[in-house]
Amino acid sequence: MRAVQFSDYGPPSVVHVAEVAEPHAGAGEIRIAVRASGISAGETYFRSGRLRDVVPTTFPYRTGVEAAGVVDEVGDGVTGVGVGDEVFGLTDLATRGANADHAVLAAWAPKPAAWSWEEAGGAAGGVETATRVLDRLGVAAGHTVLVQGAAGGVGTIAVQLAVARGATVIGTASERNHDFLRSLGAEPTTYGPGLAGRVRAPAPEGVDAVFDCAGGALPDLIAIAGDAARVVTIADFAAAAHGVHMSQTALGGESGAAIGAVADPPALHGLGIAVALAGQGRLRVPVAAAFPLTEAAAAHELSETRHARGKIVLVN
């Protein structure tokens, strides 16, 4: 089968499609014929070599942690799903391999009828990440939350999940994305110098929590929150130096600690919440671009710009 991988550090051009052996579902797993899969922004850091000194990479590195497709194998002990069912979900984070013709999922949920394959293929990672961080921040009805980098793949999901919890959401993005953020339920503002003053207008009593999806602004975000403990980042590797928690599930042990990331338990319950919200028309997965599997390098190139509005996916 075809699978996307890279065999050395480098620019997006090192990403290629290779012919590899098909994986098979083990106990507690299912295999799907992939219809669409997401590009992980975090994997672009691994590919570039940015983290080579703290997170050793074994080559070839098979990419992709989220996918949607049709079940074609069911492992021992699995109930409630059968061959032919349409699902979306996550691979084992240690083995990855979602950007392929077939993928083994360790966690999954039924594909919402309201979502296209492209939306479902790019949903699971953002849903799990956003749920994990919002849970850690204790976001609930009546809270005000600032989402830094609200127009990206995780930010767009975080906005909607926070709104669904009853929170007021302020989201930072470039001005061209402000109407888009309003459509998701957020009050938009621009990022950059003077952010504290701009946030004060829609939130004169301050914010209860800050979810950083962009990185590079932790001192300002801490000042806005009033306490580093009320800020969680998924994107700033300087988090530990500022006393901020960096939430990751793909990293653990010594390698995760080296960049200030303590492995949090995955928030897999978020998949079921997403299905319910999608059925109510309250959660969509904005897709910035969809590329054929064979154009994975171009998808990585777009991801590295950090300007994509929503999720970047590969389609089979």
Side-chain angles (χ1 to χ4, degrees):
M1 71 165 191
R2 301 175 304 164
V4 176
Q5 62 184 42
F6 55 90
S7 299
D8 200 357
Y9 297 118
S13 58
V14 302
V15 176
H16 62 279
V17 173
E19 285 293 328
V20 303
E22 291 185 6
H24 294 282
E29 300 174 329
I30 63 172
R31 191 181 80 165
I32 61 172
V34 177
R35 296 291 185 268
S37 59
I39 292 293
S40 167
E43 287 185 333
T44 67
Y45 292 134
F46 296 141
R47 191 217 68 241
S48 69
R50 179 177 176 180
L51 302 178
R52 72 171 76 192
D53 293 333
V54 291
V55 186
T57 297
T58 300
F59 297 118
Y61 185 104
R62 196 79 51 80
T63 67
V65 297
E66 61 187 352
V70 180
V71 178
D72 65 3
E73 282 185 7
V74 177
D76 290 343
V78 173
T79 60
V81 65
V83 172
D85 289 351
E86 298 180 350
V87 301
F88 74 106
L90 294 163
T91 67
D92 182 298
L93 296 176
T95 54
R96 304 171 307 277
N99 301 145
D101 287 323
H102 294 275
V104 172
L105 301 185
W108 60 88
K111 172 187 170 294
W115 287 353
S116 67
W117 281 118
E118 289 83 359
E119 291 170 305
V127 165
E128 186 280 323
T129 300
T131 303
R132 173 177 12 108
V133 173
L134 293 175
D135 283 354
R136 183 178 181 92
L137 289 168
V139 173
H143 288 172
T144 298
V145 182
L146 172 64
V147 178
Q148 172 82 337
V154 175
T156 54
I157 300 297
V159 166
Q160 295 174 86
L161 292 183
V163 168
R165 294 181 181 211
T168 297
V169 181
I170 301 166
T172 68
S174 58
E175 193 167 351
R176 66 184 176 86
N177 287 322
H178 284 192
D179 285 344
F180 169 66
L181 289 187
R182 291 187 185 96
S183 75
L184 299 180
E187 175 64 31
T189 189
T190 52
Y191 44 75
L195 179 61
R198 293 191 297 278
V199 169
R200 197 173 298 118
E205 297 182 4
V207 303
D208 299 287
V210 176
F211 184 168
D212 175 31
C213 301
L218 286 181
D220 287 342
L221 299 181
I222 294 168
I224 290 168
D227 186 346
R230 291 159 63 185
V231 180
V232 173
T233 185
I234 60 170
D236 200 316
F237 298 115
H242 295 279
V244 169
H245 179 73
M246 183 175 187
S247 184
Q248 297 284 334
T249 57
L251 297 173
E254 295 180 359
S255 61
I259 58 169
V262 177
D264 293 329
L268 301 178
H269 60 283
L271 301 183
I273 294 170
V275 172
L277 291 174
Q280 299 164 11
R282 300 171 65 196
L283 180 64
R284 55 194 173 104
V285 185
V287 176
F291 294 84
L293 190 70
T294 53
E295 295 182 16
H300 269 242
E301 186 173 0
L302 176 59
S303 179
E304 282 199 337
T305 69
R306 302 293 185 255
H307 294 307
R309 188 170 80 178
K311 191 68 185 183
I312 301 168
V313 298
L314 301 176
V315 294
N316 295 41

